[in-house]
Amino acid sequence: MKVQIGLLMAILLVMAGCNLNPLTTPTAMVATIEPTPIVDSGSSNTVPMTTQVDEHSGVAFDYPTGWTISPPPAQLAVAYSYSVASFDIFNPPVTPSKKQQGMPDGETEIQINFHASNETVESIRANLQSDVAKGMAKILKEEIRTGPDGSVAYYYEVEGMFEGSAYLMQTKVNGHTVSIAAYGKGDYFEDVAKSLRAA
């Protein structure tokens, strides 16, 4: 798995218990569906989106067509994530300065994290608040929203002890605890977050 950026990925992995032990029965996890248009909430332009279906959880999400996607390893794990980025994740451009470790200037990376079955939205929220209390992160903004299945969802803008800030949403979809984190410019974070749904 590639080196992750910013403090939030470390927080998310801690929240998920970092348990990457394979389950006994690996199954195919990903399927891609043809692009469909969606309107970006931060723009008046229609942006083509591609739907990604996580077969293990039965959760789908959309991301901008043309962005690169790094799916989780083929061997199923207890907690795993997808990364989508406005740049080539596998061959990131070299820039003189970077806003965050591994993040080229002016670009966005969004991670869709599927947490372990024993993690709840409340437990990952408590872990983030614990890190804030320890001075490891600072919450710039917090909102309570309605998640895709009608349950509570928590939205944050967070600044970490490493360079940069991030957007984060924690929710439950199709019985699975899911969080989304965006680093860098944060383009299309809201669109990806709002597209979470049962497949």
Side-chain angles (χ1 to χ4, degrees):
M1 195 167 165
K2 71 180 193 63
V3 175
Q4 302 299 329
I5 58 172
L7 172 64
L8 280 183
M9 193 58 223
I11 291 170
L12 291 172
L13 288 174
V14 168
M15 290 186 278
C18 281
N19 187 351
L20 300 178
N21 295 327
L23 298 175
T24 54
T25 333
T27 59
M29 290 178 32
V30 295
T32 302
I33 298 173
E34 289 303 310
T36 56
I38 191 170
V39 176
D40 173 22
S41 60
S43 159
S44 60
N45 297 326
T46 298
V47 178
M49 301 291 272
T50 297
T51 299
Q52 181 71 43
V53 177
D54 178 67
E55 297 292 342
H56 174 63
S57 66
V59 172
F61 62 89
D62 299 333
Y63 65 94
T65 300
W67 282 28
T68 58
I69 184 165
S70 175
Q75 188 176 23
L76 190 59
V78 174
Y80 55 93
S81 58
Y82 291 79
S83 292
V84 295
S86 59
F87 59 96
D88 184 349
I89 295 174
F90 306 105
N91 298 296
V94 177
T95 57
S97 67
K98 294 181 178 185
K99 290 184 179 179
Q100 296 177 326
Q101 180 184 11
M103 175 62 62
D105 287 338
E107 301 292 345
T108 298
E109 181 173 355
I110 301 173
Q111 295 169 347
I112 300 88
N113 307 290
F114 292 84
H115 295 269
S117 61
N118 63 339
E119 292 285 339
T120 66
V121 173
E122 294 301 329
S123 71
I124 62 174
R125 179 177 186 242
N127 288 336
L128 175 60
Q129 291 171 336
S130 173
D131 287 336
V132 168
K134 293 174 188 173
M136 296 174 63
K138 178 181 177 184
I139 295 176
L140 305 175
K141 182 177 181 179
E142 180 178 6
E143 293 176 358
I144 297 175
R145 298 181 175 182
T146 303
D149 66 354
S151 63
V152 69
Y154 296 101
Y155 166 82
Y156 303 94
E157 291 177 21
V158 180
E159 187 175 83
M161 67 180 187
F162 299 110
E163 294 178 38
S165 58
Y167 306 96
L168 173 65
M169 191 177 84
Q170 304 162 340
T171 191
K172 192 163 192 119
V173 186
N174 201 29
H176 296 272
T177 302
V178 180
S179 61
I180 300 180
Y183 306 96
K185 204 171 166 190
D187 289 343
Y188 303 106
F189 169 79
E190 291 289 346
D191 296 293
V192 175
K194 289 175 185 175
S195 74
L196 278 172
R197 62 197 180 275

